[in-house]
């Protein structure tokens, strides 16, 4: 045993200071953390527990093979101590994973990390969307009645909840557009191409919205692309932009923590029901049953009807559940990141940070185990640059390669047009070959809060189900004639049918566009060889 220990010590000593190996270890850490959630695993599953252990091991390996100064070790120790104390008092490991993502960033290039996340998470998220849209995989769906829209189905496509589906989509959108923004900096036709990429991001999220029903996802996407495009377009950040950047954390914290308590009753009812979807009421409920603590608390939730609920708003979750110390630490880190980004003119990172904080008003993903808040990558890079006192490399200005002249733009527009025409043609063909449904039969009639819609259960034989399908009606989750099914009216069935038409067009268009890009790349390679 002693000999084995000595060998391991020698191996680690030989690897110590190997920056390339350390970077690869961190990329593996990030790929596993992000990829596991993109695949559909979530907190509470055995797989996520295993992922957490693997990521912790990789983080330790990264620390061992990377040289750190005494100051850096002090920062690492202090922050991990805070995260550990929070875990001890709350049982929540989210802050530990967030800090590992941040503190493993020494000698790791930011663009490589985001590129790795996009390459790993992108195919997994798109696979989930494709298989869900065409009914190729089991998924969760919820009937929900909304003002002005009637009863609709919200789909999760293999994720824990429809909102989770859209949060994965917005994460992929922000990662992709970040890489495009960084790549375009200083290039010809940059604003035009970024506008096209931003428009594509919005259209992608509108498509996902038809299934997820997540208004937060669409609003966050629009906010992100607008802020990102604006910051990219202006020559320099003025005082107003800097003030807004610094104010984002305090404003979102005020909305989540204070606003539910100071609004008049009528305004409270409006905001709670129309904008925040009962999140304000839940905030008051948890405030009334819990008190502040330094390092967090295990929430007291005495009402049986709220048993499945938690705190959705990130800043309230941070302040009330994770504790005052964690809140102060995150405020300092976020403000520090904004300061470094402004000082080093990293506007693409500011746009992502602002969008993440906006999403956090509705969703708890900023500080939990979701691994979707990749701004910790930027924080870690900024911390190590500051501690090393090195001149911050302006990564946004250092991306070489790629021609974006007028012929490139024209070729790209032609490929988009071909994809759009192919998608429209296939959608028309699909409509011509299928019948519009008159009803939808599903095995679920309870909404996401498990509230019954009051529908009468009906029982059908397999022959009857086959007849429904032949007539063009939609059948979901039929499990046998002894299992109850619920009949939804024509309006909901037609809505689902139109989603399928849209999916046929969208995925055909993506396939045609991708094929055109592939052919173009092959031709360019041949021309270069010739």
């Amino acid at each position: 045993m002693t000999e084995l220990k000595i060998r391991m010590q020698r191996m680690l000593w030989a690897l110590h200071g190997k920056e390339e190996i350390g970077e690869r270890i961190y990329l593996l850490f990030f790929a596993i953390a992000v990829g596991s959630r993109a695949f559909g695993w979530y907190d509470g599953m055995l797989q996520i527990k295993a992922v957490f252990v693997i990521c912790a091991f990789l983080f330790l390996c990264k620390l061992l093979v990377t040289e750190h100064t005494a100051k850096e070790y002090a920062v690492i120790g202090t922050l991990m101590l805070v995260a550990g104390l929070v875990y001890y008092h709350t049982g929540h490991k989210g802050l530990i994973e967030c800090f590992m993502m941040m503190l493993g960033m020494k000698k790791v290039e930011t663009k490589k990390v985001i590129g790795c996340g996009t390459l790993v998470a992108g195919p997994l998220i798109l696979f989930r969307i494709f298989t869900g849209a065409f009914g190729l995989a089991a998924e969760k769906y919820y009937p929900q009645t909304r003002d002005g829209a009637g009863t609709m189905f919200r789909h999760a496509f293999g994720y824990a909840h429809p909102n989770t589906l859209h949060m994965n989509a917005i994460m992929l959108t922000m990662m992709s557009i970040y890489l495009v923004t960084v790549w375009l900096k200083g290039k010809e036709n940059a604003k035009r191409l970024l506008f096209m990429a931003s428009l594509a991001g919005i259209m992608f999220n509108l498509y996902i919205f038809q299934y997820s029903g997540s208004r937060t996802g669409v609003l966050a996407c629009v906010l992100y692309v607008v802020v990102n495009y604006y910051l990219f377009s202006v020559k320099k950040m003025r005082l107003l932009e800097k003030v807004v950047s610094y104010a984002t954390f305090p404003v979102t914290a005020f909305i989540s923590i204070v606003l539910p308590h100071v609004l008049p009753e009528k305004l409270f009812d409006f905001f709670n029901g129309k904008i925040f979807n009962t999140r304000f009421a839940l905030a008051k409920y948890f405030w009334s049953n819990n008190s502040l603590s330094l390092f967090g608390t295990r929430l007291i939730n005495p009402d049986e009807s709220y048993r499945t609920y938690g705190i959705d708003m990130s800043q309230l979750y941070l302040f009330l559940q994770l504790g005052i110390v964690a809140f102060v630490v995150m405020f300092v880190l976020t403000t520090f990141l904004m300061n470094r980004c402004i000082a080093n003119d990293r506007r693409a990172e500011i746009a992502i940070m602002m969008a993440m904080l906006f999403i956090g008003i509705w969703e708890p993903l900023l500080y939990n185990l979701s691994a979707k808040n990749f701004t910790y990558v930027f924080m870690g890079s900024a911390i190590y640059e500051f501690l090393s006192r090195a001149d911050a490399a302006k990564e946004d200005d250092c991306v070489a390669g790629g021609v974006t002249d007028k012929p490139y733009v024209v070729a790209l527009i032609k490929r988009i047009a071909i994809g759009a025409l192919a998608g429209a043609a296939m959608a028309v063909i699909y409509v011509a070959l299928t019948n519009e449904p008159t009803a939808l039969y599903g095995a679920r009639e309870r909404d996401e809060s498990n509230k019954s819609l009051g529908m009468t259960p009906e029982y059908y034989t397999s022959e009857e189900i086959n007849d429904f399908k032949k007539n063009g009606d939609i059948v979901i989750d039929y499990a046998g004639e002894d299992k109850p099914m619920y009949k939804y009216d024509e309006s909901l069935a037609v809505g689902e049918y139109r989603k399928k038409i849209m999916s046929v067009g969208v995925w055909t268009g993506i396939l045609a566009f991708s094929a055109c890009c592939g052919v173009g790349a092959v031709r360019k390679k041949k021309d270069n060889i010739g």
Side-chain angles (χ1 to χ4, degrees), residues 425-436:
M426 187 58 71
V428 170
I429 293 171
Y430 179 80
V431 171
L433 296 178
T434 56
N435 297 322
E436 191 172 275

Side-chain angles (χ1 to χ4, degrees), residues 79-359:
L79 291 175
M80 293 308 293
L81 177 62
V82 169
L85 288 171
V86 169
Y87 170 64
Y88 176 79
H89 286 89
T90 67
H92 286 227
K93 300 185 289 289
L95 213 57
I96 296 177
E97 184 173 80
C98 293
F99 285 178
M100 288 193 298
M101 186 182 294
M102 177 174 64
L103 297 170
M105 273 297 294
K106 184 170 185 183
K107 301 295 183 181
V108 181
E109 189 178 346
T110 302
K111 292 187 298 295
K112 282 187 180 180
V113 178
I114 305 303
C116 173
T118 306
L119 288 174
V120 172
L124 292 172
I125 293 170
L126 294 176
F127 173 78
R128 284 293 188 187
I129 294 169
F130 179 84
T131 55
F134 292 101
L136 302 176
E139 59 130 349
K140 292 181 181 178
Y141 64 92
Y142 301 99
Q144 187 175 76
T145 301
R146 283 189 169 174
D147 295 339
T151 302
M152 60 175 290
F153 272 0
R154 299 187 66 195
H155 297 266
F157 287 172
Y159 294 105
H161 189 275
N163 286 351
T164 310
L165 162 65
H166 211 129
M167 290 307 104
N168 276 282
I170 188 66
M171 179 189 72
L172 178 59
T173 302
M174 288 196 288
M175 282 186 169
S176 301
I177 293 182
Y178 170 81
L179 293 173
V180 171
T181 304
V182 168
W183 179 70
L184 286 174
K185 191 71 177 288
K187 288 185 170 61
E188 189 178 357
N189 296 305
K191 291 182 183 179
R192 185 178 301 174
L193 289 168
L194 182 59
F195 178 81
M196 293 166 64
S198 301
L199 186 60
I202 291 175
M203 293 177 68
F204 172 64
N205 279 266
L206 286 173
Y207 168 65
I208 299 300
F209 172 74
Q210 302 303 313
Y211 290 97
S212 72
S214 173
R215 292 168 289 195
T216 305
V218 173
L219 288 172
C221 175
V222 172
L223 174 75
Y224 168 65
V225 299
V226 169
V227 171
N228 185 65
Y229 185 79
Y230 173 77
L231 292 178
F232 184 83
S233 301
V234 296
K235 289 184 178 180
K236 58 181 291 187
M237 288 187 68
R238 296 165 295 185
L239 179 62
L240 176 62
E241 289 89 4
K242 295 176 183 178
V243 169
V244 171
S245 299
Y246 281 120
T248 307
F249 186 100
V251 169
T252 55
F254 178 84
I255 292 172
S256 302
I257 298 169
V258 180
L259 195 58
H261 302 281
V262 299
L263 284 174
E265 186 175 352
K266 287 186 178 179
L267 279 176
F268 177 88
D269 292 339
F270 172 78
F271 277 91
N272 182 60
K274 302 295 183 182
I275 298 177
F276 292 100
N277 195 26
T278 72
R279 286 173 174 82
F280 272 15
L282 285 170
K284 288 185 112 176
Y285 166 74
F286 283 111
W287 266 117
S288 64
N289 289 287
N290 295 272
S291 56
L292 289 175
S293 58
L294 284 177
F295 293 101
T297 183
R298 297 174 190 268
L299 286 182
I300 299 172
N301 187 359
D303 193 329
E304 191 63 34
S305 61
Y306 287 107
R307 187 62 60 191
T308 59
Y309 288 88
I311 299 175
D312 281 342
M313 295 185 289
S314 287
Q315 306 295 30
L316 179 61
Y317 168 77
L318 176 66
F319 189 60
L320 182 60
Q321 188 159 3
L322 301 189
I324 297 171
V325 173
F327 181 85
V328 172
V329 167
M330 287 313 307
F331 171 70
V332 171
L333 287 172
T334 305
T335 304
F336 170 77
L337 176 62
M338 289 297 189
N339 176 269
R340 292 294 85 203
C341 287
I342 291 171
N344 298 315
D345 199 31
R346 291 181 176 169
R347 306 179 201 178
E349 298 178 7
I350 293 174
I352 288 177
M353 189 73 247
M354 293 177 69
M356 283 290 187
L357 289 169
F358 176 80
I359 294 170

Side-chain angles (χ1 to χ4, degrees), residues 436-441 468 472-475 487-494:
E436 191 172 275
T438 58
L440 184 147
Y441 302 86
F468 294 152
D473 293 339
I474 300 172
V475 178
K487 182 179 179 180
Y488 292 88
D489 62 19
E490 184 176 359
S491 62
L492 188 144
V494 170

Side-chain angles (χ1 to χ4, degrees), residues 413-453:
I413 292 174
K414 286 181 179 178
R415 292 166 186 171
I416 294 172
I418 291 171
L421 289 172
M426 187 58 71
V428 170
I429 293 171
Y430 179 80
V431 171
L433 296 178
T434 56
N435 297 322
E436 191 172 275
T438 58
L440 184 147
Y441 302 86
R444 185 180 180 91
E445 63 89 38
R446 292 180 177 271
D447 64 17
E448 57 189 285
S449 64
N450 206 33
K451 179 183 177 182
S452 172
L453 299 182

